[in-house]
Amino acid sequence: MVKCLINSAMVVSVLSCSIANASDNALIDNKEKITRNGVSIYLEPNSPNKQDYLNGKFDKSLELMKKAYKANKNNKTMRASAPPVTEVQILEVESTQGGYEYVLGKSITDQDHGGSYFVVSTGVTGYGGGSYDRAKFAGNDAVQLSSDGIDLTGDNIIDGWLDIWDISKPANISGPFEFTSRSINAPGNSMSTRIQIR
């Protein structure tokens, strides 16, 4: 009887690992992998962000996401269920009027932004990303242009997400940008951050 229970536990353990691996593979299958400074990014085929990654536009943000991931004691290498969202960040603001501005850690932008091209990039550590993320600018819903999986540890497992948001419509030129990511898995927690865009 004891031998039967041990074998059952081993089967459950193997099945749990297989399910987790299948889930991890689903996040990277049919994606194009780009590696910059030890961080792998998994893009949809023909992603409009590919050239920006290759040109190093997001290198600083990816480097800081990697440092934050390593510093967070809640992040553990897992082959079981996906880790919850543990950190959210607003990384860059770019617009026709204000150009490119790196904003991580700022409460207000240095530049006055606005125009027909007006985007914000955000970072998530943990399993949020995609349809689990929301953003608003001056009270209006932002349009998510992309959500790219980020492997911060080189193990081919997605550790976080880099999202790009269009905030050009309606034509607001200043106000709070608020970003929220909800964990896909238990406990289903949400984390938020914000910046005032001038």
Side-chain angles (χ1 to χ4, degrees):
M1 182 75 158
V2 171
K3 184 177 180 181
C4 180
L5 289 174
I6 291 171
N7 287 339
S8 295
M10 288 172 52
V11 167
V12 168
S13 175
V14 168
L15 285 175
S16 298
C17 188
S18 298
I19 290 167
N21 288 335
S23 173
D24 293 336
N25 289 339
L27 294 174
I28 62 175
D29 283 349
N30 302 317
K31 303 281 193 297
E32 183 174 356
K33 179 180 175 181
I34 295 175
T35 302
R36 297 282 304 176
N37 302 326
V39 175
S40 296
I41 304 102
Y42 293 90
L43 303 171
E44 293 294 330
N46 303 315
S47 170
N49 302 326
K50 179 178 179 178
Q51 204 54 50
D52 287 338
Y53 283 111
L54 291 174
N55 292 338
K57 178 177 178 179
F58 299 110
D59 281 0
K60 188 173 183 180
S61 295
L62 292 171
E63 178 185 332
L64 288 171
M65 285 178 73
K66 186 174 182 177
K67 282 183 183 176
Y69 180 85
K70 287 181 176 180
N72 188 336
K73 303 299 182 210
N74 293 323
N75 295 320
K76 298 175 185 156
T77 303
M78 297 184 181
R79 298 302 288 181
S81 62
V85 170
T86 56
E87 188 168 6
V88 292
Q89 303 162 326
I90 299 170
L91 305 169
E92 294 113 356
V93 177
E94 188 173 7
S95 71
T96 308
Q97 181 179 321
Y100 173 84
E101 183 178 352
Y102 184 74
V103 297
L104 181 63
K106 294 180 181 178
S107 59
I108 188 168
T109 61
D110 294 330
Q111 304 299 319
D112 290 327
H113 288 278
S116 58
Y117 180 75
F118 200 175
V119 296
V120 177
S121 65
T122 58
V124 177
T125 303
Y127 276 76
S131 63
Y132 292 86
D133 293 349
R134 299 281 179 265
K136 287 183 174 286
F137 177 53
N140 300 302
D141 289 333
V143 176
Q144 188 180 56
L145 299 176
S146 63
S147 185
D148 300 324
I150 307 294
D151 172 11
L152 298 167
T153 60
D155 59 3
N156 293 328
I157 297 174
I158 301 296
D159 301 305
W161 303 88
L162 194 145
D163 299 340
I164 299 177
W165 304 90
D166 181 353
I167 59 172
S168 63
K169 293 181 178 76
N172 294 302
I173 58 168
S174 65
F177 176 85
E178 300 166 314
F179 171 61
T180 301
S181 185
R182 182 172 57 86
S183 294
I184 293 171
N185 286 349
N189 64 302
S190 292
M191 295 189 78
S192 298
T193 187
R194 65 180 283 162
I195 188 171
Q196 182 72 22
I197 298 178
R198 300 198 301 157

